[in-house]
Amino acid sequence: MSETKKATTGGPGKSARRLVVFGVTGQLGRELVDRLDESEWPIAEVVGVASPQSTGETFDFRGEPQDVLGEWPILKGRDLVFICTRGVEALEVVRECLRAEVPCLDLTGALSAQAEVPLPALLGPAGGEDDVIASAPLIAMPSATTLAWASLIEAIGEASEIVRVVGTVMSSAATLGRRGLVALSEESIALFNQSESPEPGPAGQGVAFDVVPSGGIDPERVRLELNRLFGEALRIDIAGVQVPTFVGEGTSLAIELGSPLERRVLESRIEAWDGLTLVADGVGSRGLMAVDGAAAEPIGPTLRDAAGTEEVLVGRIEPDLSLAVGHGWRIWLASDPIQLVVDHALRVAGRRLGQA
Ligand SMILES: NC(=O)c1ccc[n+]([C@@H]2O[C@H](COP(=O)([O-])OP(=O)(O)OC[C@H]3O[C@@H](n4cnc5c(N)ncnc54)[C@H](OP(=O)(O)O)[C@@H]3O)[C@@H](O)[C@H]2O)c1
């Protein structure tokens, strides 16, 4: 590995941190750097790495343009590495971090199945998991779907035992990375112009104006992560569907409870939970109005309502009529997966680096 040009920002104090972001040109990497930029953490440098094709590109950090490295930098001596590449590239970065003895936070899911790698999902007040976070050489980030479901399961599970969770996750083009967004955009333009369809993107088939069953997220990863967090006794089933929107993730979730729970208790648990926002029935939070005054008003939370927020929006709480009263609820979740995962990763990193 050779180091090309080092991207150093001004003002390193004694404890100023030296960070590395792999995948700095991707959706997640960009958002992570923006959030680090806005933070008040003392940061001596952020080294941004991407594929060799991105050599020569730059990114901004604290008012200065920084080179994107197409070759890997020397990792020894850095304080923390964030991996925001695809899973296939992640394992090699992980091995290099272990060799260089630099702690590493993997946002790709490549380490989710490894029981010895901590998977912090529900960060309580400082303490608790902090010892593990402070000392583990590798830390895995749960998927955005896991983070959203875990908050809801934990919030409700404090009031009644959850015996079964079944959900269908509707993923946007952003789930498949920047190339997924480009594919949806180019295919949509071609359809409008009635011109020839471009080559399929990372979904492996056309996605514009269509719904792709089994597309989007990796349901097996989510199931595995939730079983790691809540134990094998929790029965979970997940289906993924790709929908032709650019951002966001929606989930229609059915929860079966061991003992009945009233709606008002359910709602109050959700309202009280940090990271969940209950969106009551009514006009969508974007203030949408029905075109036909006599028709019902559009009701959120939609995926666009959730875009740009790190909260999981919860709405459409309806009884599951196939179960005894209070034993089953259908719940709709809308979230922005990139915001959710980056926000969580920064909270974990903050604890690791003593910036919480
Ligand atoms: N999208 C989401 O909603 C979401 C949410 C949570 C987690 N994730 C996970 O986060 C990861 C990134 O997702 P994304 O949406 O940001 O993907 P993306 O937009 O496709 O970005 C991928 C990044 O990886 C870089 N890369 C590719 N090969 C590399 C190599 N050999 N060495 C270093 N960097 C390399 C790319 O660089 P180039 O620009 O040079 O190709 C780009 O910066 C994935 O593992 C995904 O599963 C995604």
Side-chain angles (χ1 to χ4, degrees), residues 23 25-28 50-51 54 84-86 89 107-108 174 177-178 338:
T25 52
Q27 301 181 98
L28 226 65
S51 77
S54 294
C84 303
T85 62
R86 292 171 307 164
E89 287 98 26
L107 284 73
T108 74
R178 249 181 355 186
I338 293 169

Side-chain angles (χ1 to χ4, degrees), residues 7-328:
T8 309
T9 62
K14 201 173 173 201
S15 63
R17 302 301 184 171
R18 304 174 75 209
L19 309 176
V20 182
V21 178
F22 279 84
V24 74
T25 52
Q27 301 181 98
L28 226 65
R30 280 177 194 276
E31 182 59 30
L32 183 72
V33 168
D34 285 351
R35 293 281 304 269
L36 286 169
D37 194 359
E38 289 162 9
S39 77
E40 290 179 358
W41 295 5
I43 297 174
E45 63 177 12
V46 173
V47 177
V49 192
S51 77
Q53 281 82 38
S54 294
T55 306
E57 287 189 27
T58 59
F59 64 97
D60 287 332
F61 187 71
R62 298 206 171 150
E64 297 286 336
Q66 313 290 337
D67 292 333
V68 172
L69 305 188
E71 285 182 63
W72 290 13
I74 293 163
L75 298 183
K76 190 108 192 137
R78 317 281 182 188
D79 291 298
L80 187 63
V81 168
F82 295 90
I83 309 181
C84 303
T85 62
R86 292 171 307 164
V88 279
E89 287 98 26
L91 287 176
E92 211 188 322
V93 183
V94 165
R95 277 192 287 272
E96 193 53 32
C97 289
L98 289 172
R99 265 197 292 270
E101 297 179 345
V102 179
C104 157
L105 234 165
D106 175 54
L107 284 73
T108 74
L111 302 175
S112 293
Q114 300 194 16
E116 69 280 12
V117 178
L119 183 78
L122 299 154
L123 294 181
E129 284 173 304
D130 284 10
D131 283 352
V132 178
I133 292 174
S135 59
L138 305 173
I139 303 174
M141 282 297 93
S143 72
T145 312
T146 303
L147 288 173
W149 289 34
S151 291
L152 190 76
I153 291 170
E154 188 72 10
I156 298 174
E158 285 193 356
S160 172
E161 185 204 2
I162 298 183
V163 293
R164 184 165 175 257
V165 184
V166 177
T168 300
V169 178
M170 281 149 252
S171 304
S172 66
T175 306
L176 299 180
R178 249 181 355 186
R179 287 174 55 228
L181 290 179
V182 171
L184 177 58
S185 169
E186 289 180 349
E187 286 172 27
S188 304
I189 291 168
L191 279 170
F192 277 127
N193 291 342
Q194 297 186 326
S195 56
E196 198 180 326
S197 241
E199 286 292 306
Q205 64 186 86
V207 291
F209 299 102
D210 210 349
V211 167
V212 183
S214 270
I217 60 146
D218 173 0
E220 199 42 43
R221 173 185 171 193
V222 179
R223 209 162 63 85
L224 187 144
E225 290 179 347
L226 288 168
N227 278 138
R228 272 191 70 180
L229 297 170
F230 295 101
E232 295 290 331
L234 179 62
R235 285 149 56 208
I236 303 166
D237 193 43
I238 304 163
V241 174
Q242 183 168 351
V243 295
T245 57
F246 284 96
V247 292
E249 176 175 298
T251 298
S252 177
L253 206 62
I255 291 189
E256 185 178 340
L257 302 167
S259 54
L261 203 60
E262 285 177 35
R263 174 188 290 273
R264 67 175 173 81
V265 180
L266 188 63
E267 290 184 346
S268 67
R269 293 296 318 148
I270 293 167
E271 269 175 327
W273 200 262
D274 189 26
L276 299 178
T277 297
L278 184 67
V279 179
D281 285 356
V283 180
S285 55
R286 279 179 294 131
L288 292 177
M289 302 296 287
V291 177
D292 172 1
E297 286 165 337
I299 289 171
T302 68
L303 303 199
R304 279 179 59 187
D305 290 335
T309 170
E310 58 267 16
E311 287 285 296
V312 177
L313 307 185
V314 186
R316 310 296 307 163
I317 298 175
E318 289 159 337
D320 179 341
L321 299 177
S322 69
L323 294 169
V325 175
H327 278 265

